[in-house]
């Protein structure tokens, strides 16, 4: 059990791209953009006419605060996501999952590839319990597997305490359900990057709107007296329904990590992220068996 709990910690750090179990993604950003900024663009269309006035202009106005508000009201949703570092593709993550906020239930199915290692993990949280199973392969050979069911309090004490900035089991649970992570909670990731967006264009595509934007986020994180500075710059493209809910996203990011006093140790990572979102919740059979 002790060995598997240690494995869980390693896998969580490897799989959770935005450090869902830490405060790295939840701390206030230094970006000064306002969440209430309207997004507008002009579209020109030509119509056959003998008149000299042959062009009409349609202005699309979308308020990002309305998108954020719609996200915060979501009670159920499912997603499929992919994350890949570029250009080498050293890390590839494929995930799908679902949230039922009214029942405080969530599940994830994640495949993570890094070098010769492939990790298959299933995780579900319900009420005050968490279940985690993992199968790790190296060169197609199983090197470790196991599963564990713990309360949130036990999980925090045995796995997380002292290893992240998360201070309490309650804070950890909030991170699980609302932490902005592209492969574990894409709608709250959208909420986060929209809050830090720099510029926008908006257009209409069929019954949906398409937003294109850039964003910048810089954070300072202190853990065990070491100060880490994380700067993320990116471009995003989102497909938004008429009710302001996102249904698809394509994101490219550049993430630079450095440590105070050790600027020469700075590292840079480039990655591509895609996801699709559906507003329903139908958990797979393995989740139903565990949570019933």
């Amino acid at each position: 059990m002790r060995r598997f709990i240690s494995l869980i910690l390693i896998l969580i750090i490897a799989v959770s791209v935005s450090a869902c179990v830490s405060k790295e993604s939840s701390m206030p950003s230094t970006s000064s953009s306002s969440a209430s900024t309207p997004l507008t663009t002009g579209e020109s269309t030509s119509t056959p006419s003998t008149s000299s006035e042959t062009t009409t202009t349609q202005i699309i106005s979308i308020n990002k605060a309305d998108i954020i508000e719609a996200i915060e009201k979501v009670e159920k949703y499912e997603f499929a996501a992919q994350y890949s570092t570029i250009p080498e593709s050293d890390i590839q993550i494929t995930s799908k999952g679902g949230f039922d906020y009214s029942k405080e239930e969530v599940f994830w199915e994640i495949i993570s590839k890094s070098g010769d290692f492939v990790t298959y993990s299933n995780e579900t949280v319900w009420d005050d319990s968490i279940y985690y199973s993992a199968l790790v392969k190296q060169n197609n050979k199983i090197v470790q597997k196991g599963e564990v069911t713990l309360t949130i309090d036990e999980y925090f004490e045995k796995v997380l305490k002292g290893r992240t900035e998360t201070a309490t089991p309650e804070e950890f649970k909030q991170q699980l359900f609302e932490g902005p992570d592209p492969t574990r909670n894409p709608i709250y990731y959208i909420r986060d990057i929209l809050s830090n967006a720099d510029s926008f264009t908006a257009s209409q595509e069929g019954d949906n709107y398409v937003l294109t934007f850039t964003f910048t986020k810089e954070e300072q994180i202190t853990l065990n007296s070491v100060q880490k500075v994380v700067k993320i710059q990116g471009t995003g493209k989102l497909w938004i329904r008429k009710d302001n809910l996102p249904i698809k996203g394509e994101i490219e990011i550049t993430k630079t990590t450095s440590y105070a006093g050790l600027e020469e140790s700075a590292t840079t990572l480039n990655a591509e992220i895609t996801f699709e979102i559906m507003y329903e919740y139908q958990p797979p059979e393995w989740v139903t068996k565990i949570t019933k």
Side-chain angles (χ1 to χ4, degrees):
M1 175 68 74
R2 184 182 300 274
R3 182 185 178 193
F4 186 67
I5 289 175
S6 297
L7 171 65
I8 289 175
L9 178 63
I10 294 170
L11 295 178
I12 288 174
I13 293 172
V15 169
S16 185
V17 177
S18 298
C20 178
V21 297
S22 75
K23 282 190 175 179
E24 178 171 323
S25 296
S26 61
M27 294 175 64
S29 167
T30 58
S31 172
S32 60
S33 61
S34 168
S36 61
T37 304
L39 323 179
T40 61
T41 188
E43 291 187 336
S44 296
T45 57
S46 296
T47 56
S49 174
T50 59
S51 168
S52 60
E53 295 182 2
T54 59
T55 301
T56 59
T57 301
Q58 178 184 4
I59 301 298
I60 297 175
S61 180
I62 302 173
N63 194 317
K64 68 178 181 180
D66 293 336
I67 300 173
I68 291 172
E69 181 180 5
I71 287 172
E72 292 173 343
K73 291 181 178 179
V74 168
E75 291 190 358
K76 298 179 181 181
Y77 91 96
E78 293 185 5
F79 70 89
Q82 288 188 325
Y83 171 100
S84 179
T85 54
I86 52 177
E88 295 86 359
S89 296
D90 291 333
I91 298 173
Q92 293 180 314
I93 298 172
T94 302
S95 66
K96 62 180 179 179
F99 290 75
D100 186 339
Y101 288 96
S102 63
K103 293 171 59 179
E104 289 194 327
E105 182 175 304
V106 58
F107 74 90
W108 296 278
E109 298 177 343
I110 302 176
I111 302 173
S112 176
K113 299 179 181 179
S114 179
D116 296 332
F117 288 89
V118 181
T119 301
Y120 304 85
S121 60
N122 287 347
E123 183 178 352
T124 185
V125 179
W126 74 105
D127 298 329
D128 290 316
S129 299
I130 183 169
Y131 165 86
Y132 196 97
S133 68
L135 173 67
V136 183
K137 289 185 176 182
Q138 183 179 22
N139 296 323
N140 294 321
K141 294 182 179 179
I142 297 174
V143 295
Q144 195 160 9
K145 64 178 180 179
E147 62 180 358
V148 64
T149 301
L150 299 169
T151 66
I152 294 292
D153 287 351
E154 290 171 335
Y155 191 94
F156 179 81
E157 290 292 331
K158 295 180 179 180
V159 179
L160 299 180
K161 192 173 182 179
R163 296 184 174 96
T164 76
E165 277 201 328
T166 307
T168 65
E170 292 75 21
E171 187 177 337
F172 168 57
K173 188 173 182 179
Q174 182 180 8
Q175 281 290 308
L176 287 172
F177 282 90
E178 298 181 5
D181 189 310
T183 61
R184 293 175 65 89
N185 195 341
I187 65 168
Y188 273 83
Y189 180 70
I190 291 169
R191 178 187 185 278
D192 185 62
I193 61 177
L194 282 181
S195 298
N196 292 280
D198 303 314
S199 62
F200 291 87
T201 60
S203 61
Q204 190 162 352
E205 185 178 286
D207 293 331
N208 303 313
Y209 297 116
V210 180
L211 309 184
T212 303
F213 58 95
T214 61
F215 60 95
T216 303
K217 183 176 181 179
E218 185 170 324
E219 303 166 334
Q220 293 185 356
I221 304 149
T222 302
L223 182 62
N224 297 328
S225 301
V226 177
Q227 187 178 72
K228 180 168 66 173
V229 180
V230 179
K231 184 175 183 179
I232 300 175
Q233 296 175 296
T235 59
K237 189 174 182 181
L238 293 175
W239 283 257
I240 307 292
R241 297 192 321 198
K242 292 293 181 66
D243 60 1
N244 293 313
L245 286 174
I247 57 172
K248 182 180 176 181
E250 297 175 356
I251 314 293
E252 289 192 8
I253 64 168
T254 297
K255 179 178 179 180
T256 303
T257 303
S258 60
Y259 296 87
L262 298 172
E263 285 74 12
E264 67 278 3
S265 66
T267 58
T268 299
L269 176 148
N270 297 303
E272 293 178 330
I273 303 160
T274 61
F275 45 77
E276 294 186 359
I277 297 169
M278 302 144 286
Y279 294 93
E280 59 184 25
Y281 181 77
Q282 298 178 343
E285 185 177 353
W286 69 265
V287 173
T288 304
K289 289 181 178 179
I290 291 169
T291 61
K292 66 180 180 180

